[in-house]
Amino acid sequence: MFQDIINPARFTEIIGQVRMCSDADVDEILEQAHAAFKTWSRTTPEERASRLREAARDLRRALSELATLFVRENGKPLREAEVDIRRSIELMDIVSSDLPEWSKPAILDPHQPVFARRRPRGVTAVISPWNSPVLLSFKRLVPAIATGNTVVVKPASHCPLTLTECVRLVNRFLPAGVLNVVTGSGGTVGEKLASDDRVRAVAFTGSTDTGRRIIELASRTVKKLFMELGGNDPALVLQDAILNQETLPKLTNAILRAAGQVCIAIKRIYVHESRYDELVEKLSNSFDQVIVGDGLARETTMGPLNNKAQFDFVAGLVDKCKKSGLTVLTKGRKLDPGGWHQGFFMLPAIILGAGEDHEIVQCEQFGPVVPIMAFSDDEDAVARANNSPYGLRASVWTRSRDRAQELADRLEAGAVFWNSHGIFQDLHIEFPGIKQSGFSRDSRSAALDHYADTYGFGQ
Ligand code: NAP
């Protein structure tokens, strides 16, 4: 059985088809991955690094076509798509250069000949979401392969084509069976990967509900888990915040990048009551500059939502806000008003008047819509920011680094940013979410550590 993949900016355009694999198909692929592990796990780190480096060179040559395909199946603007692919390739180079040094056995104590050595674990399943499928798969599969594991990757059904093509290109440099793709539904393919005894580790990125289900299935065979889940990131705009040409674009981008379909997007804003009117006005003006259209058009600054389920969910939330008497400030401009209903396009919006219990504040909207709420003092702001089952990222917008640091100590998030949000300047430094946002660290050596078992050797 095959499923059509349509362009979210143009429903009439079918970009490709994806095979909906059965249990038996997954079984066959797992057998290949399991068999390939026997030889791949014995290759040297230098050989693995060299193959990854060559594959990275090849991918770099295909970057432009890959990014275009990505926009056509995902919807995000071309420059955002290029960043995702470029970072995936950079990651291959970084891992390849870190690998030889990382692989050296560590002596634990110079007075005792006991070494901490590492070895790969086996078949690793990588299950990824549709919002950033290539980058979020490569962040898991590259260190897994580099440390000598074999991998079966399951792309999201809404956005599988670019990832499948990237894997095809990388596979020109790897022995058969080391890196495998299996497409199909989460309920069939994903659940089989999370349950099968031959899978020794699962690296999952996606919603908290699905993560919970995978943890449950994987617990039956005690697999090692990597979990990066949902978020509802707060931004705290303090009394002394700088709201100018430098900070407003950063704030806007942290809300609207990829039409808000980013796990680490700002999803609620708490602003000091003395700056509420000013922030609403300035952010409204900033949202008004947004041009919504096909991600391949040069003028577009925000693309469509990726799929019907997500579009209906976010549109439904906005509707509920209107029905419950909240103010919805719809902003931005349509690039092609004639083709508006031929894509999952949505104008960005600011929601005013929401109480803490309102769905728009409590849920992960994953769309170009943000509620702004006023707070009176720091206690109030911190308590409301922490009033969420999630704990991915948070940010504090203030002149004072000390105040930001003081609040950061009290905010329940895997990372807290000062006058920025989401990504550190060094793109490869990352921290895991906390609470129900997950628990796995994946930058540099932490990623390599995650995919290998450490064992002791000595007397
Ligand atoms: P999702 O519905 O949880 O799906 C993610 C992946 O899991 C897809 O490949 C999906 O397959 C698969 N899946 C679904 N049900 C499954 C099951 N029962 N067993 C095994 N696998 C299953 O998430 P999404 O809608 O694609 O992505 C959006 C979510 O991901 C948001 O919550 C966002 O915050 C989160 N996310 C988190 C991070 C992070 O780093 N923390 C990064 C990006 C996104 P199908 O596509 O076939 O359903």
Side-chain angles (χ1 to χ4, degrees), residues 20 127-132 136 140 154-158 184-187 189-191 194 204-208 210-211 213-214 217 228-231 262-263 267 310 364 366 392 437:
M20 300 306 280
I127 303 178
S128 53
W130 47 261
N131 66 325
S132 234
L136 294 171
R140 326 294 179 231
K154 184 211 135 9
S157 300
H158 288 301
S185 78
V189 172
E191 296 222 354
F204 173 73
T205 316
S207 65
T208 298
T210 307
R213 173 73 180 143
I214 290 174
L217 294 171
E228 277 293 326
L229 309 175
V262 180
C263 55
K267 301 200 173 98
Q310 193 57 30
E364 179 185 31
F366 224 57
L392 209 51
S437 287

Side-chain angles (χ1 to χ4, degrees), residues 54-372:
E54 283 179 56
R57 252 199 303 274
D58 212 45
L59 276 184
R60 202 166 268 121
R61 277 194 283 270
L63 196 149
S64 162
E65 296 96 86
L66 289 169
T68 304
L69 175 62
F70 188 20
V71 175
R72 290 172 69 216
E73 70 166 337
N74 176 278
K76 63 175 74 177
L78 185 60
R79 63 187 160 281
E80 290 181 21
E82 281 170 351
V83 170
D84 270 31
I85 309 278
R86 196 173 299 117
R87 283 183 63 197
S88 309
I89 300 169
E90 268 173 33
L91 193 79
M92 298 170 84
D93 286 331
I94 288 174
V95 167
S96 314
S97 69
D98 286 354
L99 191 64
E101 191 57 35
W102 173 89
S103 303
K104 290 183 184 155
I107 185 148
L108 296 179
D109 177 342
H111 306 295
Q112 295 178 55
V114 179
F115 292 86
R117 297 178 62 84
R118 294 176 174 114
R119 63 179 160 220
R121 191 169 295 121
V123 179
T124 298
V126 174
I127 303 178
S128 53
W130 47 261
N131 66 325
S132 234
V134 178
L135 182 59
L136 294 171
S137 300
F138 270 53
K139 282 167 89 169
R140 326 294 179 231
L141 70 84
V142 171
I145 286 175
T147 46
N149 301 281
T150 55
V151 166
V152 179
V153 57
K154 184 211 135 9
S157 300
H158 288 301
C159 203
L161 300 177
T162 320
L163 175 56
T164 305
E165 179 59 9
C166 287
V167 169
R168 189 186 71 78
L169 294 176
V170 172
N171 265 335
R172 296 203 275 203
F173 301 90
L174 295 175
V178 170
L179 175 57
N180 311 272
V181 177
V182 57
T183 50
S185 78
T188 304
V189 172
E191 296 222 354
K192 168 82 175 159
L193 292 175
S195 321
D196 195 282
D197 200 23
R198 285 162 293 188
V199 175
R200 303 289 306 278
V202 181
F204 173 73
T205 316
S207 65
T208 298
D209 279 346
T210 307
R212 219 175 263 125
R213 173 73 180 143
I214 290 174
I215 291 169
E216 190 186 311
L217 294 171
S219 70
R220 297 175 197 167
T221 45
V222 194
K223 301 185 195 313
K224 181 148 187 192
L225 293 175
F226 178 105
M227 288 280 146
E228 277 293 326
L229 309 175
N232 188 5
D233 291 7
L236 271 53
V237 179
L238 306 191
Q239 199 166 9
D240 68 345
I242 305 164
L243 297 175
N244 65 11
Q245 305 285 38
E246 198 191 322
T247 53
L248 281 162
K250 283 198 213 168
L251 194 58
T252 305
N253 187 46
I255 302 163
L256 297 182
R257 187 161 58 92
Q261 302 166 112
V262 180
C263 55
I264 49 177
I266 292 175
K267 301 200 173 98
R268 20 184 201 137
I269 300 181
Y270 296 100
V271 55
H272 189 268
E273 56 197 7
S274 64
R275 305 291 299 280
Y276 179 84
D277 291 341
E278 181 192 351
L279 178 70
V280 170
E281 190 193 333
K282 287 184 169 169
L283 204 61
S284 294
N285 291 340
S286 192
F287 272 36
D288 243 351
Q289 309 308 311
V290 172
I291 301 172
V292 183
D294 184 335
L296 287 177
R298 207 156 2 103
E299 306 92 310
T300 294
T301 58
M302 191 179 104
L305 275 75
N306 173 257
N307 59 74
K308 183 168 180 344
Q310 193 57 30
F311 179 86
D312 288 349
F313 175 68
V314 183
L317 276 175
V318 174
D319 244 25
K320 285 188 226 172
C321 288
K322 286 181 182 160
K323 285 192 180 121
S324 54
L326 307 190
T327 303
V328 177
L329 304 175
T330 305
K331 298 286 162 185
R333 180 159 72 78
K334 301 174 181 175
L335 179 66
D336 173 18
W340 190 251
H341 296 292
Q342 285 308 305
F344 297 119
F345 296 114
M346 188 177 284
L347 288 171
I350 292 170
I351 312 285
L352 305 178
E356 205 48 36
D357 293 339
H358 200 284
E359 194 178 356
I360 191 68
V361 181
Q362 284 302 317
C363 79
E364 179 185 31
Q365 65 270 45
F366 224 57
V369 178
V370 72
I372 302 185

